[in-house]
Amino acid sequence: MKYGYFDDQNREYVVTQPDTPLPWINYLGCQAYFGIISNTAGGYSFYRDARLRRITRYRYNNAPFDLGGRYIYVRDDNSGEFWSPSWQPTRRKLENYFCRHGMGYTTIGSQFGGIEASTRYFVPLDENLEIWQLTVTNRRQRAAELSIFSVIEFCLWDAQDDSTNFQRNFSIGEVEVEDGIIYHKTEYRERRNHFSFFACSEKIAGFDTQRDVFLGPYRGWDNPSVVEVGRSTNSVAHGWAPVGSHQIKLFLQPGESRQIVFLLGYQENPRDQKFDPPDSQVLNKKRAKCVVSRYLVPGKTDAAFEKLRLYWDELLSLCQVDTPDVHTNRMVNIWNAYQCMATFNMSRSASFYESGIGRGLGFRDSNQDLLGFVHMVPERARERILDLAATQLPTGGAYHQYQPLTKRGNNDVGSGFNDDPHWLIIGVGAYLKETGDWSILDEPVPYDNVPGSETPLYEHLQRSFRYTLDRLGPHGLPLIGRADWNDCLNLNCFSDSPGQSFQTTTNKDGTVAESVFIAGLFVLAGGELADITKHRGLEAEACLYLAEVTKMKATIRKHGWDGEWFLRAYDDFGRKVGSKENAEGKIFIETQGFCTLAGIGLDDGRAQRALESTRNLLATKHGIILQQPAYSKYYLELGEISSYPPGYKENAGIFCHNNPWVIIGETRVGNGDAAHDYYTRINPSAREEISDVHRCEPYVYAQMIAGRDACTHGEAKNSWLTGTAAWNYYAITQWILGIRTGYDGLVIAPVIPGNWRGFHATRKFRGVTYHIAVERAGNGNQVSLEVDGALIPGNVVPLPPEGTKSVAVKATLR
Ligand code: BGC
Ligand code: NOJ
C-alpha cells in the first residue's frame, strides 16, 4: 500500500493522505538555520544546534505522535467553522490534501468548504529565517470572509532545560510586539544576545503571545479558544509559555486568491548594541527589521525560492545517472544525495527519533557521512574535518561527540570508542580523493581544542593509526574499548544496574576484549594512510604502515576467522563472540562486510566464503540482519546488544548502515547481481509499494528494519539520520556503478547486474565534467576504457590538462 507517489520531474515526494503510518518528514535549511517539518506541518526550528538554540518548541513522543509545529488555522467568519489546511492540528476532514516534500522545502495544501489553502515552507539560502508562503483561494461561488491565524510555540532556547526546569522557566518568558512583529526575547535581559521574531506581510487584526490565552483553559491545539471566537486578544506573555500568533482578516471574491507571507527568524545583536535606547531594556530591533523589510517585499520570497531551487539543481547535477533501474536513478539522482546533506548537517542530532538534546555531532558518524557528502560542498567538508580533528585527544583517541555550537567535545560521553580515530583517516581520504586539496594535511589543528597544541592535520592521522597499535589485546587484535562501530557491543561494561549508560559504564580494565571489526577497519584505514603518505613523498613511512596492515591481516587470518566466516570479537573472558561455538550470536554482519570491503580474504577465498555465509544465514527479503541467532536474553558480558528484544536494533535487526558493506564486499568479489539485489532490498523507493509494512518515508533510508525474529519483520524505524545514507550512496555510485574517486583520477570499475546492458552517468570531479557511457559486451567486469576517443590502459581516467571542461569516457565491460 502507498500513501503518495514520487514526482521525479519536480524532485518531490507527494504525500496524498495526511495520516501516514508515521510522520513523514523533511528538513528545511542547509547552512545554519534548520527545521524539521512533517507532512502535517509538525516539527520545530533551531539555529545551528538543536539543543542549545532551539527556536520553537516541540514535544516528542506525543499523542498524536506528531503534534506541535508551524500551524495555520483558517476560519470562515460567517459560519464560525475553522480548520487546518495541513490537517493537523484540527484534523477536520479535508476535501483534498497534498504534501509535497522537495529539496529544502515542503508545500502542504488542501481544500475545505471551497477554500483552497496551501503553504510553502522553506529557508532561504544565506539567511537565518524561514518563510511560510500561504496562498488562499476562494473556490466558492460566493464571497468569503475569512480569518487566518498563525501559531508557533517558542522554546526557551536550551531545549533540554526547556523540557525539565519548569520551576524557573514558567517565570522567564518575555516578548515584545511592535508593528505586528512578535519578538521572543526570553533571557535576553541577561546573558543572551539573540532573539527570534515572527512577522507577517499583512496588516494584522490582532496577535497573541501567551499560550494559555490563545488556547483557553483545558484546550489543545485542535480547538484554540481564540480561533473559535474568531478574535485575537493581543495577549503579552509574562512568564508561562510564549507563543506567536497573528490574526489576518481576508475578504475574497469568488475565484480570488491572496498570498500572505510569514517570516520566522533568528537574530543576534552585538553585545554592546543589545538595547535601544542603550540604557533601556527594550530590544534593539534594527537588524531584525531590516531583514523583515527585505523579505516582505513582493517578489522577494519567490526570488529566494528560485535561488534555493537553482542551488539544488547545481548540487544534484554533480552526479547524475541513467541506469535501467528507476529506484537506483531516483535515489542516486535525488533522494539519497539529499539525505546525505541532512546527515552531514545533523549528524544524529535532530529528527523525529533523535530529540536534538541527546547527541551532538558524532566523531565516527560525521566522518563516515563525508563519504556521501564530500562531492557536494567540499569547503564545508573541509571545515568539518578540521572541527572533528580538533576534538581528537593527544593519544589519538577522540571525543565521541561534540556540540556544533561550541565545537567542544562532549564530556558526558567522553572517549574510548576504539574505532573512532580510524574514521578520521577514512574521512580525510575521501576528501583528498575528491578534491586533490593536499593543503588540508598541513593545516594546524589542536588536540582537545587546547590552544598551543596544534600540529598539522597529517599528524592527527598518524596518531589515529598509532592509537590502535598502542592498544592491542592478547591475540594481537585491537582492544575494543567502550565499543567499536556497534555501540551496543559493550564488552567492558558488565552493567547490572538499571539506568546506567551502556556506552559509558565500564567495569573492566579493558585489556582483554578485542574487536575483529576494528582490525578490519585498521586494514582499510592503514591502506588509505599509506596512500596518503606516499603522496607526501614519505615512502619509508608508507612501508611501515603497510607492514602493520599485512601483520594485522595475518592476525585476522589466525585469530579472526571461524572456519566459515569472520569472528566478531573476543569478550572479557577471552571467549569468542560471533562464532559457531556460541549458542546465540554465531555470525555478525559487521566483520563479513567490513573485512571483505577492506580486501581481506580476497586472495584466499575467505571473502567469498564469508559472503556465502552471510547470504545463507543473514539475508532476508527485507535486507541483511545484523547477527543470528538473536540474543534471547540479557548477557552481562555483551551489554546493550542483548538488551533489545530479538529482531530490533543491534539485536538482529536489519541495521541498514552495514548492508552496504556487504554490497561493496560483493562488488569486490565481482558479484554485481548480488550487490544490486542487496541494494534493492533496502532501497526505500523500491519498498514504496509496501509502505504499510515499511511505515517510514519511502524516500529516505531508515537506520533499522525489523529483522526476521521480530513480530514486525520489515518495519522500518529511525528514518533520516543514519550512516546508511552515506554508505549506500558510496556503495551504489562508487562500487556498483564503479565511478570511484582516486588520488590520481577517476576510477571506472563498474560491477553491475548481468542483465544490465550498461548505463550513462555525468560526474563532476575536480572541476571537470565526465560524461560516462558504460556498455556491456560480455558477462564479466573487465573494463576497457576509451577517453575522448582514445583507448587507455587500466581503469583510471588520468587527470586532464588544466582548463579542460569535459571529458568523454566510454567503458566496455567484458
Ligand atoms: C542505540 C545505538 C546507538 C547508541 C548510542 C543505542 O541505544 O541502539 O544504535 O548508536 O545508543 O547513541
Ligand atoms: C548509531 C550510531 O549513531 C552509530 O555511531 C553506531 O555505529 C550505530 N548506531 C551502531 O550501533
Side-chain angles (χ1 to χ4, degrees):
M1 180 179 170
K2 302 203 294 180
Y3 299 86
Y5 61 92
F6 284 94
D7 178 347
D8 292 339
Q9 204 64 37
N10 288 308
R11 298 186 183 133
E12 291 174 333
Y13 190 83
V14 189
V15 188
T16 49
Q17 174 176 333
D19 52 342
T20 45
L22 290 162
W24 283 7
I25 77 155
N26 195 10
Y27 283 85
L28 306 177
C30 53
Q31 293 160 316
Y33 185 106
F34 298 106
I36 57 181
I37 182 162
S38 72
N39 58 306
T40 57
Y44 60 91
S45 300
F46 57 94
Y47 172 72
R48 285 194 193 278
D49 191 311
R51 171 169 174 179
L52 299 176
R53 286 284 196 281
R54 188 79 66 96
I55 296 168
T56 57
R57 192 176 272 168
Y58 187 78
R59 289 173 192 77
Y60 274 88
N61 196 5
N62 218 328
F65 194 48
D66 170 29
L67 188 59
R70 302 168 182 83
Y71 292 139
I72 283 167
Y73 302 85
V74 183
R75 181 178 189 275
D76 183 329
D77 283 339
N78 289 320
S79 68
E81 262 204 305
F82 62 92
W83 67 97
S84 315
S86 59
W87 190 60
Q88 279 267 60
T90 61
R91 294 188 297 281
R92 297 291 303 273
K93 193 169 165 35
L94 301 166
E95 282 147 28
N96 59 40
Y97 155 93
F98 70 86
C99 164
R100 289 181 168 266
H101 284 316
M103 305 288 106
Y105 68 91
T106 287
T107 309
I108 307 174
S110 61
Q111 185 170 305
F112 181 96
I115 303 297
E116 210 175 79
S118 81
T119 313
R120 184 163 72 184
Y121 300 92
F122 69 100
V123 173
L125 289 171
D126 308 319
E127 295 287 3
N128 294 324
L129 57 86
E130 64 188 65
I131 295 178
W132 311 1
Q133 260 181 302
L134 167 70
T135 309
V136 187
T137 308
N138 179 10
R139 299 271 174 227
R140 297 173 179 168
Q141 302 298 321
R142 55 186 199 287
E145 249 183 280
L146 306 171
S147 276
I148 306 295
F149 294 89
S150 63
V151 75
I152 45 135
E153 185 175 3
F154 292 110
C155 181
L156 310 185
W157 305 117
D158 180 333
Q160 164 82 36
D161 192 67
D162 183 72
S163 56
T164 46
N165 192 5
F166 303 109
Q167 61 79 25
R168 168 177 161 83
N169 293 344
F170 285 155
S171 294
I172 61 173
E174 286 192 293
V175 298
E176 286 181 32
V177 185
E178 197 180 294
D179 301 333
I181 306 176
I182 296 165
Y183 298 88
H184 172 233
K185 59 165 198 173
T186 298
E187 289 190 342
Y188 189 78
R189 59 186 284 118
E190 20 110 5
R191 290 159 298 179
R192 295 190 184 273
N193 66 332
H194 55 88
F195 59 92
S196 62
F197 55 87
F198 191 29
C200 166
S201 61
E202 298 295 298
K203 192 172 152 6
I204 62 170
F207 64 87
D208 274 287
T209 67
Q210 186 65 279
R211 183 188 67 200
D212 294 342
V213 173
F214 178 76
L215 295 178
Y218 289 88
R219 285 165 175 253
W221 300 100
D222 55 343
N223 190 25
S225 129
V226 158
V227 180
E228 185 180 273
V229 172
R231 200 167 43 250
S232 292
T233 70
N234 297 349
S235 59
V236 175
H238 299 284
W240 297 114
V243 298
S245 171
H246 310 93
Q247 178 180 8
I248 298 105
K249 287 196 169 281
L250 281 186
F251 184 82
L252 294 180
Q253 295 295 350
E256 194 184 345
S257 215
R258 283 276 284 285
Q259 199 175 92
I260 304 171
V261 176
F262 297 95
L263 294 184
L264 173 61
Y266 170 90
Q267 185 65 49
E268 290 177 359
N269 276 335
R271 290 215 170 253
D272 58 350
Q273 293 169 38
K274 278 175 64 167
F275 301 106
D276 182 22
D279 56 356
S280 75
Q281 287 293 303
V282 181
L283 198 61
N284 178 348
K285 308 181 182 72
K286 285 199 186 86
R287 287 181 176 74
K289 279 188 174 164
C290 182
V291 176
V292 170
S293 56
R294 249 189 295 136
Y295 275 92
L296 292 183
V297 175
K300 178 72 192 186
T301 38
D302 283 336
F305 182 76
E306 191 53 23
K307 197 168 145 198
L308 180 67
R309 214 179 50 75
L310 291 175
Y311 177 73
W312 274 103
D313 275 355
E314 185 70 23
L315 284 185
L316 297 179
S317 74
L318 297 170
C319 178
Q320 287 288 301
V321 302
D322 182 9
T323 77
D325 177 44
V326 61
H327 305 298
T328 301
N329 298 344
R330 181 179 282 154
M331 291 310 288
V332 172
N333 296 342
I334 308 171
W335 290 100
N336 195 177
Y338 182 62
Q339 188 179 1
C340 286
M341 170 67 91
T343 55
F344 174 82
N345 287 330
M346 301 289 133
S347 193
R348 309 294 170 265
S349 66
S351 72
F352 271 47
Y353 310 87
E354 300 281 7
S355 63
I357 59 182
R359 299 204 257 178
L361 269 65
F363 193 89
R364 169 203 295 146
D365 296 326
S366 294
N367 273 304
Q368 288 172 77
D369 290 344
L370 294 173
L371 291 173
F373 175 79
V374 64
H375 70 290
M376 284 199 262
V377 195
E379 311 76 56
R380 291 187 69 206
R382 189 181 208 274
E383 185 191 349
R384 177 64 53 81
I385 286 171
L386 298 177
D387 288 347
L388 286 164
T391 66
Q392 197 175 17
L393 301 165
T395 56
Y399 273 104
H400 197 49
Q401 289 160 17
Y402 76 91
Q403 281 308 123
L405 193 73
T406 61
K407 298 194 174 177
R408 293 294 153 124
N410 181 336
N411 275 315
D412 296 346
V413 188
S415 66
F417 296 78
N418 285 352
D419 62 318
D420 269 338
H422 294 293
W423 297 114
L424 182 66
I425 302 177
I426 304 294
V428 171
Y431 175 80
L432 290 173
K433 283 185 265 190
E434 181 67 42
T435 62
D437 168 22
W438 293 91
S439 75
I440 193 174
L441 294 176
D442 298 315
E443 285 285 342
V445 185
Y447 294 86
D448 193 7
N449 274 298
V450 175
S453 65
E454 292 81 0
T455 70
L457 176 66
Y458 180 66
E459 190 173 328
H460 284 253
L461 306 187
Q462 291 172 311
R463 293 197 197 188
S464 288
F465 190 71
R466 192 74 238 163
Y467 181 84
T468 290
L469 292 177
D470 291 343
R471 286 167 185 74
L472 296 178
H475 298 92
L477 291 163
L479 292 170
I480 197 167
R482 287 179 165 169
D484 59 22
W485 172 88
N486 190 332
D487 272 328
C488 297
L489 193 60
N490 317 116
L491 303 182
N492 291 301
C493 175
F494 285 76
S495 170
D496 57 8
S497 306
Q500 291 181 327
S501 155
F502 284 109
Q503 273 83 46
T504 59
T505 305
T506 306
N507 283 314
K508 295 288 166 178
D509 66 4
T511 56
V512 180
E514 298 167 291
S515 162
V516 180
F517 173 80
I518 300 181
L521 177 58
F522 176 89
V523 167
L524 185 75
E528 201 76 80
L529 182 58
D531 282 344
I532 294 171
T533 303
K534 275 188 215 149
H535 266 263
R536 279 173 87 76
L538 304 169
E539 282 289 340
E541 191 179 324
C543 285
L544 290 179
Y545 297 141
L546 291 176
E548 293 296 348
V549 163
T550 307
K551 201 162 141 204
M552 188 63 81
K553 280 187 178 170
T555 308
I556 296 174
R557 256 197 304 275
K558 189 146 177 233
H559 297 295
W561 180 252
D562 198 51
E564 287 176 80
W565 56 78
F566 291 100
L567 273 179
R568 179 62 178 82
Y570 287 91
D571 70 13
D572 181 62
F573 305 106
R575 294 180 313 211
K576 293 174 181 171
V577 177
S579 158
K580 56 181 173 308
E581 292 169 18
N582 299 115
E584 301 186 324
K586 288 174 188 287
I587 173 171
F588 280 66
I589 189 175
E590 293 103 309
T591 37
Q592 317 323 319
F594 218 87
C595 289
T596 40
L597 93 77
I600 302 164
L602 289 178
D603 47 356
D604 60 11
R606 288 180 199 214
Q608 285 86 343
R609 197 67 192 272
L611 291 169
E612 249 170 60
S613 301
T614 304
R615 188 164 319 126
N616 295 337
L617 300 171
L618 298 176
T620 76
K621 65 174 180 178
H622 294 295
I624 313 167
I625 294 180
L626 196 143
Q627 109 277 14
Q628 281 287 284
Y631 294 115
S632 60
K633 57 177 201 273
Y634 179 52
Y635 290 80
L636 189 68
E637 68 278 21
L638 299 180
E640 186 169 6
I641 190 165
S642 58
S643 75
Y644 288 110
Y648 293 102
K649 296 278 287 184
E650 283 86 343
N651 188 14
I654 295 158
F655 219 87
C656 300
H657 184 145
N658 40 38
N659 278 228
W661 300 345
V662 176
I663 293 172
I664 298 172
E666 289 288 1
T667 66
R668 295 220 62 180
V669 301
N671 195 347
D673 282 327
H676 196 263
D677 173 25
Y678 285 145
Y679 171 77
T680 306
R681 293 187 202 195
I682 61 165
N683 181 326
S685 161
R687 297 172 62 79
E688 188 199 13
E689 292 290 342
I690 54 161
S691 287
D692 48 333
V693 176
H694 184 79
R695 301 185 81 228
C696 278
E697 298 91 331
Y699 41 92
V700 288
Y701 288 99
Q703 181 199 60
M704 199 252 317
I705 297 174
R708 190 159 54 202
D709 304 277
C711 296
T712 56
H713 185 31
E715 178 196 34
K717 220 176 262 175
N718 304 357
S719 55
W720 278 97
L721 300 186
T722 160
T724 313
W727 273 103
N728 266 300
Y729 189 81
Y730 178 65
I732 183 73
T733 57
Q734 302 216 17
W735 292 91
I736 296 182
L737 302 180
I739 303 170
R740 194 149 67 239
T741 56
Y743 290 105
D744 303 314
L746 208 53
V747 179
I748 310 290
V751 184
I752 53 177
N755 63 6
W756 283 18
R757 299 184 55 87
F759 69 91
H760 287 90
T762 316
R763 174 66 154 89
K764 289 190 192 141
F765 175 64
R766 303 198 194 177
V768 179
T769 304
Y770 291 78
H771 298 281
I772 303 161
V774 175
E775 264 175 37
R776 192 180 263 308
N779 294 332
N781 305 306
Q782 208 54 49
V783 183
S784 42
L785 280 191
E786 263 175 54
V787 176
D788 284 333
L791 264 174
I792 62 153
N795 64 2
V796 183
V797 185
L799 295 170
E802 194 83 27
T804 308
K805 288 270 170 290
S806 81
V807 169
V809 179
K810 188 173 164 212
T812 310
L813 297 183
R814 292 199 169 77

